[in-house]
Amino acid sequence: MYSHRLLRISALRPRLQLPNSYLQQQRLSSSLGRVSFSMQQARSRRTFGTSVAPGQQSLGDGSAAGKKSAASESSQPASPGSTKRSLTFAIGGILALVGVTGYTLLRQPGSMPVEVVTQSTPTPSSTQAALESVATKRSDALKKLDGLTTKERREEAARLGLLTAEEVDAVLHAKENSWYIEPVAGGSRLRVDTNQVSSNDPIEDYLAWTTLASNATNRHMFSVFDGHAGYMCAEQLATRMGPMLDKSLEVIAQLADFKKGAKKPVFEVDDKVLVRTIRQIEREAGLNWDHVPLALTATFINMDYELVTGALAEFRKQQQLMRMDDLLGPAVSGSCGLVAVVDTEAKEIVVANTGDSRALLGVRLKNGTWKAVRLSQDQTADNANELARMAREHPGENAVIHRGRVLGGLMPTRAFGDCRYKWPLEAQQDLFPVLYSRGHRYATTPPNYVTPPYVTARPVIVKHALSEEDKFIVIASDGLYDQLSDAEVIGSVSQWYEAHNQKSGSASTLTTEDDNAATHLIRAALSTNHSGGRSDKFIQRLLAIPPPYSRRYRDDISVTIVTLNAE
């Protein structure tokens, strides 16, 4: 159904035009001065509460319990407020900082031409020198921090030298990208800005985007996958979610036509599980769902089934030790996942979220003020609906949420992979010792493991009808929200929006330091302390602390900003 080709895109140029299907995974590593491409892995998480804004339809997760929870949601604006794959840095990790943004998979429906226009130039020598200086400073800092106690390390980190403004700029611009998506008839133009700044070595998040084939070129998928306990689950999600979502939409359309009297569709063998999932969701939900929410729910459930249950069955069938890592590695690791489908022709956005990444809508009111509206719900123990669901599904198990985590271990209550919270105990006892001996250190059974599964990948869906007041969407991993409240995020991006969307002939002279909206936001996040104070010294110090110790101060941050009706 699709033709494929790979395109490598050089560093960060602000007007990369990608009118058709597009999927990018940023993968960076280096070894002995040679650039290779590695994947991402794992980390711990912090969480926040959630609410649903006026004009939104919270569809819950489509289950009977989900419908009850959705009906009780408050309709109001959001309140303000590892296992590592081996990676060796030669010359102190210089190449991992340089803006080599990796591979881009262009997915082209049928024979539709893919048109790509880039404006890329080699990394300036001054930027290269700044990145070399950062690598040297971090290498020196690592030597000072190694071998210290936690208290000594905290004190030593406070004494580390700051990065210069030029060095901070070099790090912030290393992995940024921007482009426009031109519409077909009936749609509207979008601008997309993305960036990632790592704390882990290498970064553990994935960003993926594509134009869905099911609706010409006016329906677009934007997503963030935040892995934990290894890179392999997030890797699979980033590469397979788009094609599976397209297939779900196709199947749903065929089933709908059949209900209207069309010829009974004949599905391929590989699609039968997906078809069964779609029909089961329709029966459970008891709702006449639109195609996109139904497709997203089915895709999330089916994707997790393939990664966790299907892979287990396949391995038991083959019994080939050489395939154990490839088949079961994605099941042992885990990932949160947030997917937003923006339809510029239907003027709506549908967000499916599993875990604690978050989507926000920037709304400019008629009086000129800005409002932050959540388009997703965090699924953690801080979410009262999730606490109630877990208690309902595991009655009498007082340890199901312990110390704010599932069985005392996992922060998100919904996630892909994480077979240690899903597989039957017999399967874990059979396979975990072997997996653990092969380096999968999260192949261990949690305490109080009585009634699995404890974690689901079934998403919570929020559907929002876009209006003229809706200006941009922010999609980000939780590392961003560790640093900024919802209101602070929208306030920062609104500054960038006002500066870059001034009417021709306006007397206003608003400017921003960064042309890329995601870079502008990440700079603000890392320049702000937890008391809300802002200073350039904060980001200069945070970016000077080397991994793995930087993880005590900041998380990986991955951001996609979609500007609606872009000028």
Side-chain angles (χ1 to χ4, degrees):
M1 182 176 178
Y2 299 111
S3 59
H4 298 77
R5 68 188 180 94
L6 286 176
L7 172 70
R8 176 177 168 181
I9 296 181
S10 57
L12 74 107
R13 289 305 138 204
R15 293 192 183 267
L16 170 62
Q17 226 172 340
L18 295 164
N20 298 303
S21 297
Y22 182 79
L23 169 67
Q24 171 170 316
Q25 304 154 39
Q26 304 214 24
R27 305 151 60 176
L28 299 175
S29 68
S30 64
S31 177
L32 301 178
R34 172 178 57 84
V35 176
S36 63
F37 292 93
S38 68
M39 300 300 184
Q40 292 89 7
Q41 308 95 30
R43 70 170 218 267
S44 61
R45 333 187 149 274
R46 286 181 54 191
T47 60
F48 298 80
T50 182
S51 61
V52 178
Q56 291 180 358
Q57 182 183 3
S58 175
L59 303 179
D61 59 9
S63 63
K67 288 188 289 179
K68 181 178 180 181
S69 298
S72 64
E73 284 289 339
S74 171
S75 293
Q76 59 186 1
S79 60
S82 104
T83 304
K84 278 195 175 180
R85 199 172 190 175
S86 59
L87 176 69
T88 304
F89 281 90
I91 321 173
I94 297 169
L95 290 179
L97 289 169
V98 177
V100 181
T101 56
Y103 286 119
T104 301
L105 175 63
L106 291 175
R107 196 162 53 75
Q108 171 180 344
S111 59
M112 184 186 300
V114 174
E115 179 182 347
V116 179
V117 180
T118 65
Q119 298 179 4
S120 59
T121 59
T123 303
S125 58
S126 59
T127 300
Q128 181 68 27
L131 292 172
E132 293 176 5
S133 178
V134 172
T136 299
K137 287 183 176 180
R138 287 181 175 175
S139 177
D140 292 343
L142 192 61
K143 296 174 184 177
K144 295 178 180 179
L145 297 172
D146 279 343
L148 301 180
T149 65
T150 300
K151 180 180 178 181
E152 291 170 341
R153 192 176 296 122
R154 184 169 55 249
E155 293 171 348
E156 183 62 34
R159 291 192 292 266
L160 292 177
L162 305 179
L163 298 189
T164 66
E166 292 75 17
E167 290 166 343
V168 168
D169 286 345
V171 173
L172 288 180
H173 293 304
K175 289 193 279 185
E176 66 178 5
N177 275 298
S178 298
W179 70 95
Y180 287 91
I181 301 175
E182 302 295 342
V184 295
S188 60
R189 192 187 199 209
L190 301 176
R191 169 168 171 158
V192 185
D193 295 87
T194 70
N195 201 354
Q196 296 179 290
V197 172
S198 66
S199 179
N200 292 289
D201 174 15
I203 191 170
E204 300 168 355
D205 296 347
Y206 275 82
L207 295 174
W209 49 91
T210 187
T211 291
L212 297 171
S214 55
N215 188 32
T217 56
N218 284 328
R219 185 184 282 164
H220 314 281
M221 184 197 88
F222 303 96
S223 56
V224 58
F225 302 106
D226 185 354
H228 52 262
Y231 71 91
M232 299 182 76
C233 184
E235 173 192 66
Q236 291 295 310
L237 294 172
T239 56
R240 294 164 59 184
M241 184 67 76
M244 186 177 288
L245 180 56
D246 257 334
K247 173 57 69 174
S248 295
L249 287 165
E250 179 186 338
V251 168
I252 290 168
Q254 290 176 317
L255 291 173
D257 289 342
F258 174 62
K259 291 176 183 177
K260 296 176 182 178
K263 183 179 178 181
K264 184 178 181 179
V266 178
F267 299 107
E268 298 177 8
V269 174
D270 291 344
D271 297 332
K272 287 188 175 180
V273 174
L274 178 61
V275 173
R276 187 165 62 245
T277 301
I278 290 169
R279 286 173 168 161
Q280 180 179 345
I281 293 169
E282 288 184 309
R283 287 194 300 269
E284 290 178 356
L287 297 172
N288 186 20
W289 272 13
D290 292 340
H291 288 192
V292 175
L294 178 58
L296 282 167
T297 303
T299 300
F300 273 49
I301 293 172
N302 199 62
M303 178 70 71
D304 195 56
Y305 175 87
E306 289 190 1
L307 294 174
V308 177
T309 305
L312 175 62
E314 183 68 19
F315 178 76
R316 283 178 159 171
K317 177 182 177 181
Q318 295 185 7
Q319 291 293 321
Q320 294 183 16
L321 191 61
M322 67 177 63
R323 293 211 60 203
M324 187 178 217
D325 296 330
D326 289 340
L327 280 173
L328 302 184
V332 176
S333 62
S335 181
C336 295
L338 186 147
V339 175
V341 175
V342 180
D343 190 330
T344 61
E345 185 171 349
K347 298 188 185 306
E348 70 175 21
I349 177 171
V350 182
V351 176
N353 190 38
T354 287
D356 57 7
S357 296
R358 191 180 301 168
L360 298 177
L361 183 67
V363 181
R364 185 168 61 182
L365 304 176
K366 288 182 171 53
N367 63 6
T369 61
W370 288 84
K371 180 176 68 173
V373 175
R374 283 204 190 176
L375 296 175
S376 64
Q377 303 175 25
D378 299 353
Q379 288 105 46
T380 69
D382 291 339
N383 184 328
N385 289 331
E386 286 297 286
L387 277 179
R389 178 182 67 83
M390 295 292 286
R392 192 166 54 245
E393 293 177 359
H394 306 278
E397 295 185 48
N398 296 328
V400 65
I401 297 294
H402 179 56
R403 295 177 301 186
R405 295 169 180 263
V406 178
L407 299 181
L410 186 66
M411 181 69 82
T413 54
R414 305 193 189 209
F416 293 93
D418 287 315
C419 67
R420 66 194 298 254
Y421 298 97
K422 298 175 182 178
W423 275 356
L425 184 59
E426 172 270 329
Q428 297 192 18
Q429 292 172 337
D430 183 31
L431 296 172
F432 276 5
V434 182
L435 284 162
Y436 191 90
S437 70
R438 296 174 67 86
H440 299 274
R441 66 186 183 94
Y442 288 93
T444 59
T445 302
N448 303 303
Y449 196 75
V450 181
T451 57
Y454 287 90
V455 175
T456 178
R458 189 175 195 133
V460 173
I461 304 289
V462 173
K463 180 179 176 181
H464 177 87
L466 294 170
S467 71
E468 289 297 321
E469 294 182 337
D470 301 333
K471 301 302 181 183
F472 56 80
I473 303 159
V474 179
I475 298 164
S477 58
D478 69 331
L480 176 71
Y481 301 103
D482 288 348
Q483 305 294 133
L484 297 176
S485 68
D486 292 0
E488 288 170 331
V489 168
I490 297 305
S492 177
V493 181
S494 68
Q495 293 173 350
W496 178 92
Y497 182 91
E498 298 284 4
H500 288 78
N501 290 274
Q502 299 175 58
K503 299 297 183 181
S504 179
S506 171
S508 175
T509 57
L510 291 173
T511 60
T512 59
E513 189 170 358
D514 301 296
D515 288 333
N516 182 291
T519 304
H520 173 82
L521 178 57
I522 293 174
R523 185 189 297 274
L526 295 178
S527 299
T528 304
N529 66 14
H530 289 287
S531 299
R534 181 165 179 174
S535 170
D536 290 341
K537 289 186 177 180
F538 296 148
I539 191 171
Q540 291 173 312
R541 184 172 302 282
L542 283 176
L543 292 181
I545 302 172
Y549 305 118
S550 56
R551 235 351 236 105
R552 292 183 174 274
Y553 302 90
R554 61 183 178 89
D555 200 351
D556 295 333
I557 299 178
S558 295
V559 177
T560 295
I561 297 176
V562 181
T563 302
L564 306 168
N565 298 303
E567 298 178 359

